[in-house]
Amino acid sequence: MEFWLDLNEEQRELRDWVHGFAESVIRPAAPEWDEREETPWPILQEAAKIGLYGFEFLANTWSDTSGLSLPIVNEELFWGDGGIGMAISGTSLAVASIYGSGTPEQMVEWIPQCFGDPADPKVGAFCSTEPEAGSDVASMRTRAVYHEATDEWVLSGQKAYATNGGIANIHVVTASVDPSLGSRGQAAFVVPPGTAGLAATRKLKKLGLRASHTADVFLDDVRLPGSCLLGGKEALDKRLARAREGHRRSGQAAMRTFELSRPAVGAQALGIARAAYEYALEYAKNRVQFGRPIVENQAVAFALADMRMEIDAARLLVWRAAWMGRNDKPFTAGEGSMSKLKAGEVAVAVTEKAVQILGGAGYLREHPVERMFRDAKIYTIFEGTSEIQRLVIARAVSGVQIR
């Protein structure tokens, strides 16, 4: 599949359709759900009813061989609002894990259950980060022990900052099967609805993305049938045997999920950045100081020029990485990490400049740039901090195991 910057008609129609939903449904509701700090179930249901939230929509989006449909959708959703956008898209991380590690039978069984149906929408949760193992995934303490007599796995441990943790219909949990192998001894498991032993804290209060549910998840002797191990026991045994013999693998369960999702996460940051830029541009055109619109002042105009340039540059990196990932092109220079790193840092810088351009007004909740500024910050932290992304890139380009 060749790489083109010009969207085809189907992609343009998809972009305009999602943009229309973001403009007419998400934006008007954004301040309320940010203030309430609750999952916007009515908006999730509305998205499901029109076909914007569900397994079929995600499958159709993924079927685009250019890889661009998913970042296009994410950018428009998060242009509407970061918190509501994450409430809608947060399930995709669990889906990415099932898709990346599961068998075809597991995909058919579990992915639809992540979404529910339009009459009763559900969400999924991917649980990887731990209090002592955030960026250092190899230090994961959650354990999975296999009981051959009953063909059961028993999971025990704690997960931190899980999007949709506790309220999800399907939880995907990463755990260590053989701690001596570090990250190579880990696997991913599906925890079905109603499984005993899984509990979560109340919704964590956050700086931004407040409409998206985040909680810590506790696993107290969670018993799972063997069929809940993503990829199956035979594949896991072979992989562990190769690791014990000293063979290196290309990654592990959590990292495969992040690799699949990094360009899409970068697109989310882009949406927030673009929304802040557009609002600041319109404000600068209409705000009069010293007898003229402030956009006529070089300092403001140059800031807006930089904002637009950085957004466009980040989008090019996101689209390139999305195309490469969809077409199985290896990230030999950490291109996936580049896209997320650049987009996240652009989102923080652009939203901060938007607040500055509005001056005192930008600090008030009356204007959305205040909320956008709060929402943007997480993109230099979650799914790999900016420092970790730089580490990935540096290792890729140098061939040296930098620490």
Side-chain angles (χ1 to χ4, degrees):
M1 177 70 186
E2 294 181 340
F3 180 61
W4 296 89
L5 292 175
D6 187 25
L7 301 181
N8 61 38
E9 183 177 357
E10 186 176 346
Q11 290 166 333
R12 289 194 298 270
E13 289 178 353
L14 174 66
R15 178 196 62 195
D16 295 345
W17 177 57
V18 178
H19 183 84
F21 181 82
E23 186 174 39
S24 62
V25 178
I26 294 178
R27 278 207 165 178
E32 175 190 353
W33 291 102
D34 178 72
E35 189 72 26
R36 291 173 62 171
E37 299 195 46
E38 296 174 2
T39 300
W41 290 108
I43 297 177
L44 270 174
Q45 187 167 40
E46 193 162 348
K49 284 180 177 177
I50 67 169
L52 183 55
Y53 179 77
F55 173 53
E56 185 176 351
F57 174 73
L58 195 63
N60 288 337
T61 303
W62 180 251
S63 69
D64 178 1
T65 53
S66 76
L68 298 186
S69 286
L70 188 56
I72 288 169
V73 167
N74 274 335
E75 181 175 338
E76 297 306 325
L77 284 176
F78 283 72
W79 174 90
D81 177 63
I84 295 176
M86 184 57 72
I88 293 172
S89 68
T91 294
S92 62
L93 203 56
V95 171
S97 181
I98 297 170
Y99 178 84
S101 302
T103 65
E105 294 77 15
Q106 289 172 326
M107 294 180 206
V108 170
E109 180 177 4
W110 299 117
I111 291 179
Q113 292 190 50
C114 290
F115 294 102
D117 57 61
D120 186 20
K122 305 292 186 183
V123 293
F126 179 65
C127 307
S128 178
T129 299
E130 298 183 0
E132 302 297 326
S135 298
D136 184 10
V137 179
S139 297
M140 188 177 293
R141 294 184 178 181
T142 298
R143 298 289 182 258
V145 178
Y146 183 63
H147 295 267
E148 190 169 359
T150 56
D151 186 28
E152 282 186 321
W153 290 91
V154 179
L155 273 60
S156 298
Q158 177 183 351
K159 296 297 180 178
Y161 314 131
T163 298
N164 296 329
I167 68 168
N169 196 45
I170 296 293
H171 290 77
V172 178
V173 177
T174 55
S176 178
V177 177
D178 186 342
S180 68
L181 297 175
S183 63
R184 295 178 297 165
Q186 296 170 5
F189 300 83
V190 168
V191 182
T195 300
L198 186 147
T201 60
R202 295 178 61 185
K203 183 179 186 296
L204 300 174
K205 298 291 187 179
K206 307 192 298 292
L207 173 70
L209 302 185
R210 293 179 176 179
S212 171
H213 184 96
T214 306
D216 292 345
V217 173
F218 300 89
L219 303 129
D220 183 11
D221 290 336
V222 173
R223 306 186 76 88
L224 302 173
S227 59
C228 288
L229 167 65
L230 289 177
K233 183 72 162 52
E234 183 179 350
L236 174 65
D237 288 342
K238 289 180 180 178
R239 176 161 60 81
L240 294 178
R242 289 195 301 270
R244 290 176 185 127
E245 291 169 3
H247 297 294
R248 297 187 61 84
R249 349 176 8 223
S250 58
Q252 34 76 24
M255 290 310 300
R256 280 202 305 276
T257 300
F258 293 141
E259 286 164 5
L260 283 169
S261 64
R262 272 173 182 156
V265 172
Q268 296 171 6
L270 274 177
I272 297 171
R274 195 183 101 218
Y277 158 74
E278 290 176 0
Y279 194 91
L281 175 62
E282 193 62 28
Y283 183 90
K285 288 178 178 179
N286 292 288
R287 173 63 169 166
V288 175
Q289 286 281 282
F290 303 105
R292 61 182 182 180
I294 62 173
V295 74
E296 294 182 17
N297 295 317
Q298 207 174 78
V300 174
F302 283 9
L304 289 163
D306 286 343
M307 291 158 76
R308 176 58 185 267
M309 176 181 64
E310 291 296 323
I311 290 168
D312 284 5
R315 185 181 295 107
L316 289 173
L317 287 174
V318 166
W319 283 12
R320 179 184 69 169
W323 172 78
M324 291 177 69
R326 182 64 182 84
N327 289 277
D328 298 320
K329 305 291 184 183
F331 290 160
T332 56
E335 290 88 348
S337 288
M338 284 185 191
S339 69
K340 193 266 183 181
L341 170 62
K342 181 65 174 178
E345 298 207 336
V346 164
V348 171
V350 166
T351 55
E352 192 275 336
K353 284 184 178 180
V355 172
Q356 189 70 22
I357 288 171
L358 268 69
Y363 204 67
L364 304 178
R365 294 189 182 182
E366 178 183 347
H367 295 276
V369 293
E370 172 269 341
R371 185 177 68 253
M372 295 166 185
F373 182 40
R374 289 189 283 105
D375 289 346
K377 183 54 194 170
I378 193 62
Y379 288 91
T380 62
I381 300 172
F382 75 170
E383 292 206 46
T385 64
S386 289
E387 292 77 13
I388 288 296
Q389 306 302 340
R390 286 186 170 89
L391 185 64
V392 171
I393 297 164
R395 286 175 174 174
V397 299
S398 70
V400 176
Q401 191 65 15
I402 301 165
R403 300 185 183 277

